[in-house]
Amino acid sequence: YELSINKAKELEDGSIDISYAKREVEDLKARINDLGPVNMNAIEEYQRVENRLNYMKEQRRDLVNAKNNLKDVIRDITSTMEKQFKEQFEQINKNFSETFEALFNGGQAQLLLTDPNNVLESGIDIVVQPPGKRLQNISLLSGGEKALTAIAILFAILKLRPTPFCILDEIDAALDDTNVENFARYLTQYSHSTQFIMITHRRGTMEVSNTLYGVAMEEKGVSKMVSVKLEEKVS
């Protein structure tokens, strides 16, 4: 230690028990031996692992932030969807009541949410009252009444957001003659904004059409198409 004897004596600690110190030294040597060979690369390995840990912590922090941001976006979208759904549902419900009354020549109808507190996952009940009948669920109606109610819902949606054209495949098949006439007459009210392509076998629907296309099979396996224009020319 490059100390003189006199200088070393100044640092002498008389409180140290030499025998105790020797035992402590032996104990420390034994514990060092128990550790096994010293890994000289431990410092570099520790630094590498620490850097990796810090990198993973940073990645986790970014993921948590992204998760929180995504939750905020989902909440905003859900809130907007709920608002728009409620507004559109109320308007369709209003239109449905009007179209039902027009197609049935009276009565009343409405759409009800089964879970108003969770509109995006709620079911929808259709409750109607045809003229002369009591208020009931659509499942209790006859086949023709169900079909006409479905048509009323279709027109309620079209009234809210008209489409350029609409294809209807035998939508009037279950209706009686009177309701076919009501349906056909009501259909013409939308012809100014929507072009309807109807597949039908009912005379009442054909009578209000502008053009008829018929498919016949005069020979087996050979189809033939004929067309007739029914538009009235007004001079």
Side-chain angles (χ1 to χ4, degrees):
Y1 295 101
E2 299 182 357
L3 296 176
S4 64
I5 295 178
N6 293 331
K7 187 65 175 177
K9 285 184 177 182
E10 294 178 1
L11 301 174
E12 183 181 4
D13 186 355
S15 62
I16 295 178
D17 185 347
I18 299 299
S19 60
Y20 173 80
K22 287 181 178 181
R23 290 195 302 269
E24 184 71 15
V25 169
E26 294 301 325
D27 181 62
L28 291 175
K29 286 181 178 181
R31 291 169 61 184
I32 291 174
N33 289 332
D34 291 341
L35 292 176
V38 176
N39 182 6
M40 303 305 296
N41 297 323
I43 297 177
E44 291 77 6
E45 182 69 13
Y46 171 80
Q47 187 64 45
R48 186 186 67 80
V49 174
E50 184 182 35
N51 292 338
R52 178 64 177 171
L53 176 62
N54 292 334
Y55 173 79
M56 297 300 292
K57 286 182 177 179
E58 184 67 25
Q59 293 297 307
R60 180 183 180 278
R61 186 160 46 248
D62 291 343
L63 289 175
V64 171
N65 291 336
K67 175 184 175 182
N68 293 334
N69 292 336
L70 186 59
K71 285 184 176 180
D72 291 339
V73 172
I74 292 174
R75 279 193 293 268
D76 292 341
I77 293 176
T78 301
S79 177
T80 302
M81 290 173 59
E82 288 179 348
K83 179 181 178 183
Q84 292 181 351
F85 178 86
K86 289 178 180 179
E87 293 174 352
Q88 302 297 312
F89 181 80
E90 290 177 1
Q91 187 60 50
I92 291 177
N93 200 2
K94 179 177 179 295
N95 294 344
F96 174 49
S97 178
E98 296 173 354
T99 56
F100 182 90
E101 185 176 352
L103 288 170
F104 279 84
N105 292 321
Q108 57 179 323
Q110 61 179 328
L111 303 174
L112 299 176
L113 295 174
T114 58
D115 186 4
N117 296 323
N118 188 11
V119 297
L120 297 182
E121 298 183 10
S122 172
I124 298 176
D125 283 336
I126 304 173
V127 181
V128 298
Q129 184 178 13
K133 295 187 177 182
R134 62 183 179 83
L135 196 67
Q136 56 191 324
N137 190 281
I138 188 176
S139 61
L140 301 177
L141 299 179
S142 65
E145 290 171 333
K146 289 180 180 178
L148 199 59
T149 300
I151 293 172
I153 295 177
L154 169 65
F155 281 118
I157 297 174
L158 286 176
K159 191 173 182 179
L160 174 67
R161 185 159 300 180
T163 59
F165 68 91
C166 182
I167 300 177
L168 305 176
D169 187 0
E170 296 194 44
I171 195 174
D172 55 355
L175 304 180
D176 57 28
D177 292 339
T178 300
N179 284 329
V180 168
E181 294 178 0
N182 291 338
F183 160 69
R185 183 181 66 255
Y186 196 78
L187 184 68
T188 59
Q189 299 180 19
Y190 289 85
S191 59
H192 63 282
S193 59
T194 301
Q195 181 182 18
F196 290 94
I197 301 173
M198 281 285 301
I199 301 172
T200 182
H201 297 284
R202 307 303 296 271
R203 181 188 301 273
T205 306
M206 296 181 189
E207 289 176 350
V208 300
S209 301
N210 296 328
T211 304
L212 292 178
Y213 293 93
V215 180
M217 187 179 293
E218 297 180 355
E219 300 179 21
K220 185 176 181 181
V222 180
S223 297
K224 181 180 179 182
M225 179 176 289
V226 295
S227 62
V228 179
K229 288 187 175 296
L230 302 179
E231 294 177 329
E232 294 182 0
K233 297 183 179 180
V234 181
S235 59

